[in-house]
Amino acid sequence: MSETPTRSAKTAKSGAQASGKKDGQRRGEILAVARRLFAERGFEATSIREIGEGAGILSGSLYYHFDTKEEMLHEIIKDHVFSLLKGYEKCAASAADPRTALEELIRFGITRLIDQREVHAIVVNERGYILRQPSFAYLDETWQEVFRTWYGVLREGVRAGVVREDLNLHLVLRMIMDSINATIVWYRPGGRYDVEEVVTTQIGILLNGLTTRKS
Amino acid sequence: MSETPTRSAKTAKSGAQASGKKDGQRRGEILAVARRLFAERGFEATSIREIGEGAGILSGSLYYHFDTKEEMLHEIIKDHVFSLLKGYEKCAASAADPRTALEELIRFGITRLIDQREVHAIVVNERGYILRQPSFAYLDETWQEVFRTWYGVLREGVRAGVVREDLNLHLVLRMIMDSINATIVWYRPGGRYDVEEVVTTQIGILLNGLTTRKS
DNA sequence: CCTACCGATCGGTAGG
DNA sequence: CCTACCGATCGGTAGG
């Protein structure tokens, strides 16, 4: 049960009473359609008519639930990066040592993103569009916080002598994040690879390149 | 007149006489504008009016040089992946041993893609659109050939005992390609990192995770 | 949530 | 390469 709609949204519109719950439910159903389409075809390439069709209503009726098409996009992704950050922070704080922390960060990142691959595909693929919209600034701030969390672990690793110190940590971090993020582009659940295999490969390559050699 | 096979792609400069050279030159100028816009904003999000504006002519006039907007896209990327494959093949064939081959493949990939980052950004970012268009099937075939070239080197590495044999080579390959491809998304020439630094980091992490440990 | 419609913009074309 | 224009489609709205 992944990708369940977060209805932390302003669920009840102004005067909703008995219909409030149902409206919120319908809202979630529409968002699920939009999320799938945005992930498959892209935000700009998806028309509100396609969303309406998928939800079984006319495009104009979408505006009873949402003010704009962009509001749907906000609803879909706003909590995602934030909860991802929380998960990363937990990994970083609870691990016994830097090496374990890195392993858990990578493992958590991959499994989480695969579990929520539609949302994440949108965040990655619509990166350009999102960066251009000032209304999505909060996303960028959260990403920076994610980077800081990882970076802290890497530095701790260097201090503890577990992480190589001959590499630029910023570049290393970019690479790791890219590796994790790129996975969702081609990964298909139920396909030829299972998640555990992907996790093992990524940890295997990334960490054994990162950790110092204890010959 | 929509089915006339005029000026199909590679024969752009064929029939013309005195104006032939100039037309070809103008064509190139327009393509340079289109390439930049496609890379910055995306193919579908770029209008022919924007291209015209950038080239200093009206949108309708673009159709003197090209049949469709999609033809511009073909012109921009068609040779790119193919020449990339040729470069990779050369690296794979000329290297003294598998480890050197891998280093040269990574180095060539990164430097080449950074050098042609606009075209490559288009290929990566428009992946979804391109996969949906049957007319771009040749691209996919070339990519598969690229994969085969790399894969051959990896297998040779395993046979020579240089590459770990406990990992799924297909997954490893995905990861390497993702690492290289992702670079162009954030890399800015003249920015805080130079190419050599990026190459060093990528080889450093990827290879020391890939090669067997010679304690 | 539907009917009926809007202004804007899209890729592309005819004829010069 | 321009003028003048096309049918289609876009996101969104008024009023019920």
Side-chain angles (χ1 to χ4, degrees), chain B residues 145-162:
Chain B
E145 195 60 34
V146 168
F147 263 72
R148 274 191 285 272
T149 303
W150 277 80
Y151 195 73
V153 174
L154 283 179
R155 290 203 43 167
E156 220 178 305
V158 170
R159 202 171 46 79
V162 191

Side-chain angles (χ1 to χ4, degrees), chain B:
Chain B
M1 63 153 281
S2 56
E3 311 241 308
T4 40
T6 50
R7 143 186 353 264
S8 80
K10 44 174 74 172
T11 62
K13 315 139 193 168
S14 64
Q17 306 151 357
S19 65
K21 187 178 174 185
K22 255 193 169 158
D23 275 2
Q25 190 178 332
R26 195 75 184 93
R27 212 178 137 91
E29 292 167 5
I30 294 169
L31 284 177
V33 171
R35 188 180 57 214
R36 177 172 52 79
L37 291 171
F38 291 167
E40 279 175 7
R41 322 256 314 183
F43 174 72
E44 288 173 293
T46 298
S47 73
I48 57 171
R49 281 158 184 86
E50 290 175 298
I51 300 171
E53 198 178 342
I57 58 177
L58 291 180
S59 62
S61 304
L62 292 170
Y63 292 86
Y64 167 71
H65 298 283
F66 306 93
D67 287 339
T68 63
K69 182 184 168 189
E70 193 181 296
E71 188 193 332
M72 300 185 205
L73 185 55
H74 276 288
E75 288 295 307
I76 290 168
I77 66 180
K78 69 174 179 183
D79 293 331
H80 174 250
V81 181
F82 189 70
S83 83
L84 186 67
L85 168 62
K86 290 298 153 198
Y88 280 143
E89 284 176 340
K90 201 173 166 187
C91 290
S94 66
D97 59 285
R99 193 183 209 287
T100 311
L102 284 174
E103 276 187 32
E104 289 185 8
L105 282 169
I106 296 170
R107 177 178 299 276
F108 171 78
I110 295 172
T111 53
R112 172 59 159 273
L113 294 186
I114 283 179
D115 190 53
Q116 305 193 350
R117 88 200 74 88
E118 280 184 351
V119 188
H120 192 64
I122 295 170
V123 172
V124 170
N125 295 332
E126 306 303 322
R127 186 177 168 275
Y129 176 82
I130 287 173
L131 283 176
R132 252 176 274 124
Q133 309 299 120
S135 58
F136 282 97
Y138 64 92
L139 253 188
D140 206 58
E141 290 165 22
T142 310
W143 271 121
Q144 283 181 34
E145 195 60 34
V146 168
F147 263 72
R148 274 191 285 272
T149 303
W150 277 80
Y151 195 73
V153 174
L154 283 179
R155 290 203 43 167
E156 220 178 305
V158 170
R159 202 171 46 79
V162 191
V163 170
R164 289 166 57 173
E165 51 189 351
D166 61 324
L167 296 176
N168 182 316
L169 290 189
H170 287 95
L171 279 176
V172 169
L173 197 39
R174 288 266 189 193
M175 230 188 117
I176 297 177
M177 302 295 275
D178 285 344
S179 270
I180 295 175
N181 285 338
T183 307
I184 54 96
V185 174
W186 52 265
Y187 187 83
R188 294 288 169 270
R192 37 206 285 198
Y193 313 115
D194 61 30
V195 182
E196 187 53 32
E197 203 175 0
V198 176
V199 170
T200 303
T201 307
Q202 300 245 6
I203 290 179
I205 294 187
L206 290 175
L207 274 212
N208 287 335
L210 267 177
T211 53
T212 50
R213 308 227 169 194
K214 304 224 169 169
S215 58

